[in-house]
Amino acid sequence: MVVPPLCRRLKRLMKSAWADRDAEALVASGANSGIDRDLALRIYTTRLLGQEPRLVLHGGGNTSLKQSVRDRFGGEVEVLRIKATGADMAQIDAAGLPAVRLAALRQLRALDHIDDAELVQIERGNLLDPAAPTPSVELMLHAFLPHQFIDHTHATAVLSVIDQPDSEAKCAAVFGSRLAYVPYVMPGFGLAKSAVAAFEANTPSDGLILGKHGIVTFGSSAREAYERMIEMVTLAEDFIARNGKAFAIAAMPREIAPVAAVAPLLRGACSLKDTAVEGAWQRLVLDFRGGDRILNSCAPLLPRLAQAGVVTPDHTIRTKNWPLVLPSPQPDKLDEFKKAAHEAAGAFMRHYRDYFKRHNARVGGIKRELDPLPRVAMVQGLGLFGLGRSKREAIIAADIAEEWLAVVVDAERIGRFESISEADMFDCEYWPLEQAKLGSRPDLPLAGQIAAVTGAGGAIGAATAKAFAAAGAAVALLDVNLAAAQEQAKAIGPSALAVACDVTAADSVACAFTEVAASFGGLDILISNAGAAWQGRIGEVGEDVLRRSFELNFYGHQRASQAAVKIMLAQATGGCLLFNVSKQAVNPGPDFGPYGIPKAAALALMRQYALDYGADGIRANAVNADRIRSGLLTPAMIASRSKARGVSEKNYMSGNLLGREVTADDVAQAFMHQALELKTTADVTTVDGGNIAAAMR
Ligand SMILES: [Zn+2]
């Protein structure tokens, strides 16, 4: 099948989003907080650029403004306001455009070379506000060019035109003399010097093309620089529309395995055994983008393109230089896919380590190797996955991978995609100033891991989900009450996932775990927590009551565990099952048999999982908690029970050996401890403040 060039993606030429009303509203609100008109409009067009993903993605791109401001002694000082490194342009405010004394920066042009550390020192030393964030790595380019307003993006259409072997000739054809061409130089001081030299030699009217990197436009107003950017991007889009060849869609197998079945296999293949800690794995969270006809369309070219490199240098830190490419997963041949995924991931990592070794030797062996795991996987016929140490990182990688595909496909339609050299990619990937964009990343104990909590809408479940998310895990909150799970997920943050799950219904459990695997790529830790209490004197209680309690308090654990173990075995990187068992399992209360007996069975269930799956690296542990304020022990129950015993509520809640009230957070910490103890399985941790009758023996 051949698709006409324009209908494959929804192609509309970019238009200026400038609106006088919005611009003036920002100027007016800025005036109230001491922001002058130029700065307010600089903020306005920076946001316009940042809101358009075809212009700017995840911290790529930057803007600046030169102006005179008064220093604290009333003197005039000329400053460059430039986007802070890594700041989000779509939501920028004045604080995201730190001011640097311009004279000091301009003096540096006389130097032939300056090393990065010294440059950062000079930048930070000349900040008007010493506490301001660090300016963009492209600060010097903005400083050396004379224009008042400068915009820089890595616009999709422009990259398709300039990522070509004949980049300069194509630019001349598209932009004429309106943009001067600067051949590729690594971002930083060297690029700034080349850019200003190209400007002075050619005096272009609108801006510059930075070869294999992006576009710069300038102007005497925020609107002029912004609208020149839009116009130039439109020229590139129009050139592609007029000159782009049709692209054949490759034939794909009719039957493709579902994402939830493929993702854990891929995730397992893209995990790394920790050589320092036995039983530990370095894992990644996944983000899937499907239904991708673009990916299918370039399937025949993927083996070549996958080796071709990034579309703009700063993507190396998010996606590495190459995607992992995998064959179509057929539903009845998942074993073959698993084998192919492991081989391909192994080859990817060997290739990455060789690449590091080669180029680290070239630069004198001074760099520290990053992990060799892929950050993008393209699965033919299915779609692509972003991979990251958190869901957020995975989403960013997937966004950039989609951008990569869009650029590369259009580049191939008008010529042949060509990236910067491997050495240039290495220099960017291992450039400390690029790495700084990622911010300081403390290695959280559960980074890269995926946890699912059942009963997450309740007190203990919610506290546990919160604790695991704070420890770096991607967390799915499962609850029969979806609204309750959503409320708790919202409190955790945008990457927490709320899923409806009734653990007493097999279909509901299957759906919920499918959703977890499809959303995050797999599962490493199950906290099987959902439960409810039934009472009745055991000799008289109705069988229906006992059965209902068993459905939830025993079979609920079993269903969730089975679903979790299936995913864990597909990943083949071990895992952890944690059960909320309650002290009732070992210390029954009068007339509480319908609750305690299935809990005792759940304790035996935990031991059985520990026994049957220990060899697979899957651990199983339980927490016996007692007297926690929750849906099972409501304020009304606390009031009536303490009254019945003739003690205060406080004394009732802390009626244990330590005299301390036990909270849902204490239980969450016990689960956390069990999740982190890689040499502990079949363990029961008691969280009850001390109750000798409930002590394990
Ligand atoms: Zn750039």
Side-chain angles (χ1 to χ4, degrees), residues 60-62 137-138 152-154 187 191 210 213-215 312-314 434 437:
N62 41 64
V137 296
E138 279 156 331
H152 166 53
T153 74
H154 309 145
L191 174 58
L210 310 179
H213 171 165
I215 174 172
T312 187
D314 82 347
E434 277 290 353
K437 277 189 191 172

Side-chain angles (χ1 to χ4, degrees), residues 13 73 108 111 329 342 346 408 434 465 522 535 559 576 607 627 671 687:
L13 296 187
F73 307 107
L108 296 176
L111 302 178
H342 278 266
V408 166
E434 277 290 353
Q535 296 193 46
R559 287 187 196 98
C576 181
R607 289 178 166 159
R627 215 167 283 188
F671 282 132
V687 188

Side-chain angles (χ1 to χ4, degrees), residues 90-228:
Q91 302 182 40
I92 204 150
D93 54 19
L97 288 159
V100 195
R101 288 181 188 84
L102 191 52
L105 299 179
R106 282 192 168 143
Q107 273 184 344
L108 296 176
R109 199 180 160 191
L111 302 178
D112 289 329
H113 171 81
I114 179 164
D115 69 50
D116 295 330
E118 197 184 346
L119 188 58
V120 171
Q121 263 180 1
I122 291 170
E123 288 169 19
R124 288 213 58 88
N126 282 286
L127 280 167
L128 227 50
D129 170 5
T134 299
S136 159
V137 296
E138 279 156 331
L139 162 98
M140 298 312 297
L141 181 145
H142 291 259
F144 290 171
L145 288 171
H147 310 84
Q148 197 189 355
F149 291 85
I150 297 176
D151 295 9
H152 166 53
T153 74
H154 309 145
T156 312
V158 171
L159 292 177
S160 295
V161 170
I162 66 180
D163 287 346
Q164 301 279 345
D166 60 344
S167 185
E168 188 168 1
K170 280 218 164 50
C171 283
V174 177
F175 307 112
S177 59
R178 296 178 66 179
L179 302 178
Y181 187 83
V182 187
Y184 179 81
V185 181
M186 183 176 153
F189 184 71
L191 174 58
K193 288 200 50 152
S194 305
V196 68
F199 168 72
E200 287 168 353
N202 300 287
T203 56
S205 54
D206 293 66
L208 307 168
I209 284 293
L210 310 179
K212 307 258 173 91
H213 171 165
I215 174 172
V216 173
T217 54
F218 41 62
S220 54
S221 69
R223 182 171 185 170
E224 187 176 50
Y226 165 73
E227 290 192 335
R228 282 176 173 168

Side-chain angles (χ1 to χ4, degrees), residues 214-485:
I215 174 172
V216 173
T217 54
F218 41 62
S220 54
S221 69
R223 182 171 185 170
E224 187 176 50
Y226 165 73
E227 290 192 335
R228 282 176 173 168
M229 175 65 72
I230 302 298
E231 191 189 347
M232 294 302 117
V233 171
T234 318
L235 288 178
E237 289 175 334
D238 187 53
F239 179 86
I240 296 164
R242 281 188 289 105
N243 298 286
K245 299 189 301 271
F247 224 80
I249 297 270
M252 282 291 143
R254 208 169 276 275
E255 294 275 303
I256 300 279
V259 177
V262 173
L265 301 175
L266 168 65
R267 185 165 182 260
C270 296
S271 299
L272 209 54
K273 223 175 209 163
D274 188 328
T275 49
V277 184
E278 197 175 0
W281 287 85
Q282 186 164 12
R283 301 170 168 108
L284 299 172
V285 179
L286 272 52
D287 187 65
F288 177 70
R289 307 295 164 93
D292 202 336
R293 301 204 326 137
I294 301 177
L295 177 57
N296 290 350
S297 72
C298 64
L301 304 175
L302 263 187
R304 167 169 66 86
L305 295 177
Q307 299 303 315
V310 292
V311 295
T312 187
D314 82 347
H315 287 181
T316 63
I317 56 165
R318 308 284 195 177
T319 60
K320 293 212 158 88
N321 304 326
W322 314 280
L324 174 69
V325 176
L326 297 173
S328 296
Q330 323 232 330
D332 52 347
K333 293 180 183 160
L334 281 174
D335 279 350
E336 277 177 30
F337 177 81
K338 184 175 184 174
K339 194 165 162 260
H342 278 266
E343 281 169 8
F348 182 99
M349 289 186 243
R350 284 194 299 279
H351 180 245
Y352 186 85
R353 287 182 165 134
D354 288 348
Y355 149 84
F356 177 81
K357 228 180 267 167
R358 260 194 327 273
H359 292 286
N360 192 35
R362 172 175 61 82
V363 299
I366 52 170
K367 304 290 182 185
R368 220 181 89 216
E369 189 176 358
L370 300 168
D371 75 68
L373 297 168
R375 290 301 189 271
V376 175
M378 296 190 170
V379 183
Q380 300 198 5
L382 185 71
L384 65 85
F385 292 89
L387 296 86
R389 290 284 278 167
S390 65
K391 182 65 177 174
R392 195 183 126 72
E393 279 186 21
I395 289 170
I396 291 174
D399 284 347
I400 291 176
E402 286 195 289
E403 166 78 358
W404 180 87
L405 263 176
V407 170
V408 166
V409 166
D410 277 348
E412 290 280 318
R413 289 178 54 222
I414 57 169
R416 189 181 165 87
F417 173 71
E418 188 183 270
S419 178
I420 54 176
S421 72
E422 190 183 271
D424 287 330
M425 287 192 273
F426 179 88
D427 291 345
C428 289
E429 186 178 1
Y430 283 90
W431 187 25
L433 301 192
E434 277 290 353
Q435 289 295 329
K437 277 189 191 172
L438 303 175
S440 57
R441 288 189 299 177
D443 211 12
L444 292 169
L446 295 178
Q449 299 212 43
I450 300 164
V453 185
T454 67
I460 292 176
T464 304
K466 202 171 128 197
F468 277 65
V475 177
L477 294 94
L478 279 52
D479 203 290
V480 67
N481 179 351
L482 179 61

